[in-house]
Amino acid sequence: SQKIEQNSEALNIQEGKTATLTCNYTNYSPAYLQWYRQDPGRGPVFLLLIRENEKEKRKERLKVTFDTTLKQSLFHITASQPADSATYLCALKGDRGSTLGRLYFGRGTQLTVWP
Amino acid sequence: NAGVMQNPRHLVRRRGQEARLRCSPVKGHSHVYWYRQLPEEGLKFMVYLQKENIIDESGMPKERFSAEFPKEGPSILRIQQVVRGDSAAYFCASSLTLRTEATDTQYFGPGTRLTVL
C-alpha cells in the first residue's frame, strides 16, 4: 500500500533562516504532488503543486522540488517569519482509475519559527 | 466569492445518535471530497462525489456512513449510530474539474469537529 512520510513531526527554526521540509513516498507513482498549510482549528490551504516532469517550482518565498527517482519532495521556506508557523502537509494525487480524484496526505510537519 | 463552507463547525452527539455534516462547495465546483482527520493523524480520504453520483467511496466505512451530493443543495455526510471512535474533524474539499492539474486542485473547508460523548 502507499506510504507517505514527512521528515519530522516538528521543526523549530530561527526567524530569517530557511526551513526545509521533506516528503518521501513508497509504492506509488503520483501524477503530481501538492503542499498545503494547515493552522490549528482550520482546514488545509493549498500552497503549491509540482508535476512529475517538473524538477522545481517557486512561489514568492516558497520553493518545491520533486525527485521521482528518489521518490522525494523538498519544501523550502526562505527568509522564514513567525507567521510561517503552521503544520505543512504533503499530498499526492491518485494516478489509477477511480482513485484519480483522491489525495493521499502525509501526517504533516509542524513548523515553529521563533523570533 | 465564498470558499468551501461547512456546517456546523462543531457538533456534539451522544453514542447511537445520527450526525449530519453539510458542505457547500466553491461556486461552480462540481467535484466534492470528504476527508477525516483523527487526533494526531493525517487526513484520510473517505469519499469522492460528483453531482448525483458517488465516484469513489473506497475510503468510507461500509456500515453507518453514507454520503450524497444532490443536484440541488449541499453535499451531506451522514453517520448513523455514532460511536466514540467517530470523534474527529471532517473536512470537505471541492474542485472545478479533473481536466488539468490547475482545475482539479482541491480547496478545503474549515471542517466540522464531531465529538461523540
Side-chain angles (χ1 to χ4, degrees):
Chain A
S1 62
Q2 302 90 352
K3 190 173 181 181
I4 303 167
E5 290 187 345
Q6 294 192 238
N7 56 326
S8 59
E9 290 187 6
L11 181 64
N12 300 307
I13 64 168
Q14 188 177 22
E15 182 176 10
K17 302 290 187 184
T18 296
T20 299
L21 286 65
T22 304
C23 176
N24 294 292
Y25 59 93
T26 56
N27 299 326
Y28 203 68
S29 296
Y32 54 81
L33 185 149
Q34 298 178 326
W35 285 88
Y36 284 79
R37 168 183 172 143
Q38 187 174 24
D39 291 281
R42 295 180 178 270
V45 175
F46 171 73
L47 295 175
L48 277 171
L49 177 154
I50 186 164
R51 297 164 59 189
E52 58 179 341
N53 61 351
E54 295 178 313
K55 295 292 186 186
E56 180 180 299
K57 183 163 281 188
R58 292 174 184 262
K59 179 183 176 182
E60 298 175 351
R61 294 184 295 110
L62 308 180
K63 184 178 84 169
V64 174
T65 62
F66 193 12
D67 188 326
T68 54
T69 301
L70 293 178
K71 294 186 182 294
Q72 180 182 79
S73 174
L74 299 179
F75 177 79
H76 306 273
I77 306 175
T78 58
S80 60
Q81 305 166 359
D84 294 327
S85 299
T87 296
Y88 291 85
L89 307 174
C90 166
L92 278 65
K93 188 64 183 296
D95 63 349
R96 298 183 187 85
S98 65
T99 64
L100 190 61
R102 68 194 306 179
L103 287 173
Y104 294 91
F105 281 89
R107 292 180 62 173
T109 297
Q110 185 175 346
L111 173 68
T112 301
V113 181
W114 44 279
Chain B
N1 194 24
V4 176
M5 300 179 69
Q6 291 186 248
N7 67 80
R9 294 293 307 277
H10 299 274
L11 183 62
V12 179
R13 285 287 179 266
R14 296 191 180 279
R15 281 181 297 168
Q17 291 184 319
E18 177 180 288
R20 277 181 173 249
L21 287 63
R22 294 175 183 76
C23 169
S24 296
V26 173
K27 189 175 181 180
H29 284 193
S30 57
H31 300 247
V32 166
Y33 315 81
W34 285 92
Y35 294 83
R36 177 165 64 176
Q37 189 172 40
L38 292 166
E40 307 304 322
E41 290 193 18
L43 284 154
K44 302 291 186 192
F45 168 82
M46 297 182 72
V47 62
Y48 162 38
L49 311 104
Q50 294 180 29
K51 286 282 188 182
E52 301 184 279
N53 286 305
I54 296 175
I55 307 302
D56 179 3
E57 58 181 346
S58 59
M60 195 160 66
K62 292 194 175 2
E63 296 182 356
R64 303 188 298 109
F65 286 73
S66 62
E68 62 177 11
F69 187 19
K71 187 176 181 180
E72 302 290 338
S75 175
I76 306 286
L77 178 67
R78 183 181 177 205
I79 311 173
Q80 295 177 291
Q81 299 176 330
V82 296
V83 301
R84 288 216 174 102
D86 296 332
S87 296
Y90 292 82
F91 291 96
C92 170
S94 73
S95 67
L96 182 59
T97 72
L98 291 185
R99 195 164 301 130
T100 71
E101 295 87 354
T103 57
D104 80 352
T105 295
Q106 294 180 23
Y107 296 90
F108 283 78
T112 293
R113 276 145 191 86
L114 173 66
T115 301
V116 179
L117 302 177

